[in-house]
Amino acid sequence: MSENRVNEEFFADKQESSREPDNITDSMECCCSMEEECEQQCGCEKDSESEIERLKEKLKESEEKREEYLKMAQRLQADFENYKRRNRNTIAETWQKASAEVVEVFLPVLDNLDRAIDSIAEAGADESIQQGIELVRRQFLDTLEKLGVEEIEALGKSFDPNLHNAVGQVEAKEGQEENTVVMVHQKGYKMGDHVIRYSMVHVAR
């Protein structure tokens, strides 16, 4: 074998052996790159999961706040409705009280009209005068009726301390029951359940 051929083979082997480390390095670099990509991908997935969990928590908090605000609004609306109802009731009660006070002031006028009619009838005066006074009395009663005022029934009724004011007692006559109103001295009037003036009566005993 010639010296030149030996040298060529020697140098060829050297080149082959020198290329092997490059292949190993390339292989190692490829593996490292794949690991890095895997780690990056796993890290992204973890970040995405944590972001989703964070958004879910925020959504839950928002829903809880929404429910809280809704309940607050409902309570405010209920309180406002109660306020309006109380206000309406207060206005109605105030109006009824004021009307009752005004009516009470005019009741003596109605009493005098009743006395005038009785006196004219007893005196035998002109019938037209009596009719005129009765017409005024009727108009007075119609006005009271429009205001919700009505006369308290008393004569022949059982005595009711919530409606009648007993100023005396008399012996019950035949056919009369005890505790029955037998005489009315002054008529009473009421507006709804509110008594403007109690009936002044005598009661059988």
Side-chain angles (χ1 to χ4, degrees), residues 33-202:
S33 176
M34 290 176 63
E35 289 179 359
E36 289 177 357
E37 289 179 1
C38 182
E39 289 178 357
Q40 290 177 357
Q41 184 176 2
C42 292
C44 291
E45 290 179 355
K46 290 179 180 179
D47 291 342
S48 298
E49 290 177 359
S50 62
E51 180 68 14
I52 291 172
E53 291 298 323
R54 187 178 66 83
L55 292 174
K56 285 182 178 179
E57 289 295 326
K58 293 190 71 174
L59 178 62
K60 183 179 179 182
E61 291 177 1
S62 299
E63 290 176 347
E64 290 175 352
K65 288 183 178 180
R66 183 198 64 183
E67 291 297 325
E68 182 181 355
Y69 294 151
L70 178 61
K71 290 179 180 178
M72 289 176 60
Q74 290 173 341
R75 285 196 297 269
L76 286 173
Q77 184 177 5
D79 290 341
F80 184 63
E81 291 297 327
N82 291 332
Y83 165 77
K84 290 196 297 184
R85 184 172 61 254
R86 288 195 302 269
N87 197 33
R88 286 195 299 267
N89 292 338
T90 300
I91 292 173
E93 290 173 0
T94 302
W95 180 88
Q96 186 180 46
K97 183 179 179 181
S99 299
E101 290 176 352
V102 172
V103 170
E104 187 177 8
V105 172
F106 284 97
L107 287 180
V109 178
L110 182 58
D111 295 336
N112 290 330
L113 289 174
D114 289 336
R115 295 190 188 98
I117 292 173
D118 294 338
S119 298
I120 291 173
E122 292 175 359
D126 192 290
E127 187 176 349
S128 60
I129 297 176
Q130 182 177 351
Q131 290 177 349
I133 297 175
E134 288 178 349
L135 182 61
V136 173
R137 178 180 179 276
R138 182 69 261 170
Q139 187 178 13
F140 202 129
L141 292 175
D142 288 342
T143 302
L144 293 180
E145 186 177 353
K146 291 177 182 178
L147 294 173
V149 179
E150 57 182 340
E151 182 181 338
I152 296 174
E153 295 183 2
L155 189 62
K157 302 293 183 180
S158 296
F159 175 76
D160 185 351
N162 296 316
L163 301 173
H164 310 138
N165 179 22
V167 294
Q169 290 182 318
V170 296
E171 294 295 332
K173 296 180 180 179
E174 186 177 353
Q176 289 181 338
E177 296 182 1
E178 292 184 2
N179 209 39
T180 299
V181 175
V182 295
M183 187 182 301
V184 178
H185 294 283
Q186 188 179 60
K187 293 179 181 179
Y189 295 89
K190 64 179 181 177
M191 178 183 289
D193 295 330
H194 176 70
V195 176
I196 300 174
R197 189 176 73 182
Y198 292 87
S199 299
M200 191 179 296
V201 299
H202 263 70

